[in-house]
Amino acid sequence: MRWFAPRPDSLLGQLRSPLYMRWQAGLSLFALVALFQGPASLHRPLETWFGPTLLAVPVFVYLYSRVYVGPRRRVEWYVAGMAATGLALWACNPFGFILLILASIVSALSPSWRRWLASVAVMGALALAKAWVFGDPLSTALWVAMSGLFGGFSNVAYMHSARKDAELRLSQTEVRRLATLAERERIGRDLHDLLGHTLSLVALKSELARRLALDEPARAQREMAEVERVARHALAEVRVAVTGMRRGDLGAELTSARLMLEASGVAFEDHVPDGLELPDAIEAPIALVLREAITNIHRHARATRASVTVAFENEMLQMHISDNGRGGLAAHGNGVSGMRERVRALGGTLAIDSPPRHGTTLSIRVPVKAQAGVAAESRVTEASLFPATGSAA
């Protein structure tokens, strides 16, 4: 319904609708069942409490939901409406104080913890006055105040943690944005350094060859041959530069994995040999496989711990990526097919151990020596096609 859709300036909207908060909000409403069970167990006449309770519950649920999906600046007004509804119902339903308890707990979701304490104090005072005037047990007022303090404290702690997580996500986004900007500037400088002088030389020699084409055809041909040689040399340099830009960095992916998982509450460990160096032909695909696996853990695993272990044995690179999440990873789902294809292209294997509710382990084995030979052969082939000759003056 439109009324219960989170606004951008609401609590759920600002925190990106966290699952924990939505479940907590829904489960807390089960306390409203006591509004009907309690008076019925005391054998109170239905006409004294049933009708008012039926009227009060929808009003309270609407105000309660607005605390989560409405503008945060109006949280205190919603809490005040919930407290008024609870006091009005308490006059005819002996369990109406439950609404006051819920109102005092969600008042902790206010932007200010001082307002939360003030709300708890006011509702405790109102409950005490009502109990005093109508002869209800004074312990009920104590229940309202203590529940608001202890239940609200958990909300205050959660909000503090959620704000820290949101700040961390924003800082990570800013770091990625600045890194992207710096990379664009570096690429621009590299391309200018690579192609600026070369293209100017090509333009000058092409213009000279055009002027010599009729008077000195032999010299014009020599100039065009020089243009062709310079262009091929520039093409080889561009290919080398692009290969470097596309190169995956396993160390950077491990750092990114730690930031992503720990920001979402997943403890992360990595065990990588010191001074790890891999051929470019291996490191780039392996880094992408690691990225996809970590993304799956973050999005789907519901894990609390994850680890990455890299080792060498018998000229084989072995990487194990494991978590203690819900398991049940499909052999061809969640990006597994893409990971398997990358590993298979390296002549390696990918094994999956993912029993339901017992976590997931990806075991990757890739021959290192053979791939290093392939990479070297590829470089030799490219060098033979595009010999690195000096640029013409």
Side-chain angles (χ1 to χ4, degrees):
M1 295 177 59
R2 184 176 58 85
W3 285 354
F4 298 103
R7 290 167 50 105
D9 58 344
S10 67
L11 188 63
L12 290 180
Q14 293 178 351
L15 297 180
R16 299 184 180 181
S17 193
L19 182 63
Y20 168 82
M21 181 168 285
R22 288 186 281 123
W23 272 100
Q24 181 211 37
L27 292 175
S28 297
L29 290 178
F30 278 99
L32 300 181
V33 176
L35 296 176
F36 297 91
Q37 289 183 339
S41 65
L42 297 177
H43 304 290
R44 293 291 181 95
L46 285 178
E47 61 273 11
T48 62
W49 62 270
F50 190 75
T53 303
L54 282 180
L55 292 176
V57 167
V59 174
F60 180 86
V61 170
Y62 171 75
L63 294 172
Y64 179 86
S65 66
R66 298 303 293 175
V67 171
Y68 293 91
V69 303
R72 289 203 70 191
R73 64 180 183 277
R74 298 179 183 173
V75 167
E76 289 81 8
W77 292 102
Y78 299 138
V79 170
M82 294 162 61
T85 304
L87 284 173
L89 181 62
W90 196 4
C92 52
N93 186 324
F95 289 83
F97 66 89
I98 291 175
L99 301 187
L100 282 176
I101 291 177
L102 292 176
S104 62
I105 290 175
V106 298
S107 67
L109 301 176
S110 168
S112 170
W113 63 270
R114 293 183 178 85
R115 296 178 186 175
W116 158 58
L117 292 178
S119 298
V120 172
V122 169
M123 280 185 272
L126 291 174
L128 182 62
K130 194 273 179 188
W132 181 273
V133 171
F134 290 90
D136 295 325
L138 297 181
S139 59
T140 304
L142 180 63
W143 271 107
V144 172
M146 297 305 294
S147 298
L149 284 176
F150 288 104
F153 181 77
S154 65
N155 280 338
V156 170
Y158 174 78
M159 288 297 297
H160 178 75
S161 175
R163 280 194 291 268
K164 290 296 183 182
D165 289 345
E167 292 172 1
L168 179 60
R169 285 195 296 268
L170 288 175
S171 65
Q172 290 176 350
T173 301
E174 182 66 12
V175 167
R176 285 194 293 269
R177 187 187 70 82
L178 292 175
T180 301
L181 180 61
E183 183 67 8
R184 287 174 179 171
E185 293 177 351
R186 184 189 70 80
I187 292 173
R189 290 193 301 269
D190 289 350
L191 290 178
H192 179 271
D193 294 341
L194 283 173
L195 300 178
H197 172 73
T198 302
L199 293 179
S200 298
L201 182 61
V202 167
L204 288 173
K205 285 188 171 292
S206 298
E207 183 180 357
L208 178 59
R210 179 175 57 81
R211 288 202 295 261
L212 296 173
L214 295 177
D215 298 333
E216 302 181 50
R219 185 179 173 188
Q221 288 182 356
R222 289 195 300 271
E223 293 295 338
M224 290 308 300
E226 185 69 13
V227 168
E228 181 182 0
R229 186 185 67 81
V230 171
R232 286 186 176 275
H233 176 66
L235 177 60
E237 287 185 329
V238 169
R239 286 184 174 177
V240 171
V242 171
T243 300
M245 293 173 190
R246 292 178 177 175
R247 180 179 181 270
D249 189 337
L250 188 59
E253 288 300 331
L254 287 170
T255 302
S256 177
R258 180 178 298 279
L259 289 173
M260 175 185 289
L261 294 180
E262 291 186 350
S264 56
V266 181
F268 180 74
E269 294 182 357
D270 62 270
H271 307 279
V272 180
D274 294 334
L276 175 66
E277 292 186 5
L278 294 173
D280 296 353
I282 294 179
E283 186 167 12
I286 289 297
L288 292 175
V289 169
L290 174 62
R291 179 188 300 179
E292 181 65 30
I294 294 299
T295 302
N296 281 341
I297 294 174
H298 172 67
R299 291 179 178 175
H300 308 294
R302 300 180 186 175
T304 59
R305 295 192 310 276
S307 66
V308 175
T309 302
V310 178
F312 291 97
E313 182 179 347
N314 298 328
E315 298 182 347
M316 297 288 291
L317 169 68
Q318 300 188 30
M319 182 167 68
H320 301 280
I321 308 169
S322 61
D323 65 76
N324 66 340
R326 61 180 183 175
L329 180 64
H332 300 286
N334 297 331
V336 173
S337 297
M339 289 189 286
R340 195 184 299 279
E341 288 300 322
R342 293 184 190 279
V343 174
R344 187 179 299 161
L346 299 175
T349 59
L350 185 150
I352 302 174
D353 182 21
S354 185
R357 298 183 299 278
H358 289 84
T360 299
T361 298
L362 301 181
S363 300
I364 299 153
R365 290 170 55 86
V366 173
V368 175
K369 186 175 181 180
Q371 286 297 325
V374 171
E377 181 182 348
S378 176
R379 288 193 292 270
V380 169
T381 302
E382 183 171 325
S384 64
L385 290 175
F386 303 102
T389 57
S391 60

